[in-house]
Amino acid sequence: AQRVTQPEKLLSVFKGAPVELKCNYSYSGSPELFWYVQYSRQRLQLLLRHISRESIKGFTADLNKGETSFHLKKPFAQEEDSAMYYCALTLGPSGGSYIPTFGRGTSLIVHP
Amino acid sequence: EPEVTQTPSHQVTQMGQEVILRCVPISNHLYFYWYRQILGQKVEFLVSFYNNEISEKSEIFDDQFSVERPDGSNFTLKIRSTKLEDSAMYFCASSELIAGSPLHFGNGTRLTVT
């Protein structure tokens, strides 16, 4: 079965520092990867997906099939980036399911 | 912007009782989901629903659980005979299409079984 691993429960950085939230997955096919974010007292929402190859709020993520990773990066963290970040995977058309499997999440705290 | 709404925000029930968690998905969405998150653990898929029937379900979604779309707007999750380990945050979500569409989540219902 597919699995998503986010090794860090908590990541604490200072404003302006680079951020990398790690996500590794286990699936032998061609998955689709997503990052969802949950700000304090708000709902879980999509941040970005690998097929879009876009930068949202300064965040980018590159799918590395060799390392089976989809790490989320931002060069200069802002206080408003403090939130819970979830990596998610779907099996895509080759896997026959589009139901996202989520990691356990990483809490990012950006200090002033 | 349209949102998925869930009621109640917090439900407390006694072990063995039945609970119904309610959700109103975004009106033009076709796929509906329930996920749960036990405190400190990952967000886990329970069930997806399309065209008035279950399209996928996980191992967690056993005979204790059922879903229903009783009218054109509501989508409910019923838990029969609740257990202590059912205590969790339950999230409803909807999406326009299933093929790679992002999920739009509700704020969740915190279920506490005592």
Side-chain angles (χ1 to χ4, degrees):
Chain A
Q2 71 277 14
R3 194 166 63 231
V4 177
T5 303
Q6 292 181 251
E8 304 137 330
K9 286 180 85 170
L10 173 65
L11 187 61
S12 183
V13 301
F14 285 99
K15 178 181 168 181
V19 167
E20 182 178 67
L21 293 97
K22 291 185 167 44
C23 172
N24 289 90
Y25 65 90
S26 60
Y27 176 58
S28 56
S30 297
E32 295 180 1
L33 277 296
F34 304 79
W35 277 99
Y36 281 79
V37 62
Q38 187 173 28
Y39 300 103
S40 178
R41 296 193 179 88
Q42 294 187 30
R43 62 194 64 214
L44 196 58
Q45 58 187 286
L46 179 71
L47 180 64
L48 55 78
R49 47 183 149 172
H50 90 271
I51 58 172
S52 301
R53 295 184 167 273
E54 57 197 346
S55 172
I56 303 292
K57 298 184 179 182
F59 284 98
T60 59
D62 292 315
L63 178 60
N64 185 323
K65 292 187 178 180
E67 295 183 0
T68 59
S69 68
F70 188 57
H71 303 327
L72 183 68
K73 300 177 185 178
K74 184 169 182 175
F76 307 104
Q78 303 299 314
E79 288 178 68
E80 55 266 29
D81 295 328
S82 296
M84 197 73 181
Y85 290 81
Y86 294 92
C87 184
L89 169 153
T90 70
L91 302 185
S94 60
S97 173
Y98 292 95
I99 304 297
T101 297
F102 285 85
R104 64 175 62 244
T106 297
S107 176
L108 173 65
I109 299 175
V110 182
H111 300 281
Chain B
E1 187 177 331
E3 293 180 336
V4 175
T5 57
Q6 289 185 246
T7 55
S9 57
H10 192 189
Q11 172 96 43
V12 181
T13 190
Q14 287 190 328
M15 197 167 54
Q17 295 297 304
E18 175 183 286
V19 294
I20 298 176
L21 310 183
R22 301 179 192 280
C23 170
V24 179
I26 294 173
S27 61
N28 64 335
H29 284 187
L30 302 176
Y31 290 87
F32 315 123
Y33 312 81
W34 284 102
Y35 281 79
R36 79 171 184 192
Q37 186 176 31
I38 296 170
L39 188 62
Q41 298 186 28
K42 61 175 62 181
V43 177
E44 300 174 294
F45 169 69
L46 293 178
V47 65
S48 63
F49 193 85
Y50 169 71
N51 200 25
N52 283 320
E53 61 183 24
I54 292 173
S55 52
E56 283 189 57
K57 62 181 181 179
S58 71
E59 296 170 349
I60 303 168
F61 193 86
D62 59 21
D63 293 343
Q64 180 196 11
F65 295 91
S66 62
V67 289
E68 197 176 35
R69 188 153 163 84
D71 53 43
S73 59
N74 289 283
F75 178 52
T76 62
L77 174 69
K78 183 190 291 186
I79 310 174
R80 287 182 278 275
S81 189
T82 49
K83 299 178 278 210
L84 293 177
E85 53 265 38
D86 294 327
S87 295
M89 193 73 152
Y90 287 81
F91 294 104
C92 175
S94 67
S95 66
E96 291 179 85
L97 304 167
I98 197 165
S101 294
L103 269 59
H104 296 255
F105 283 86
N107 277 327
T109 293
R110 179 166 299 284
L111 176 65
T112 302
V113 182
T114 62

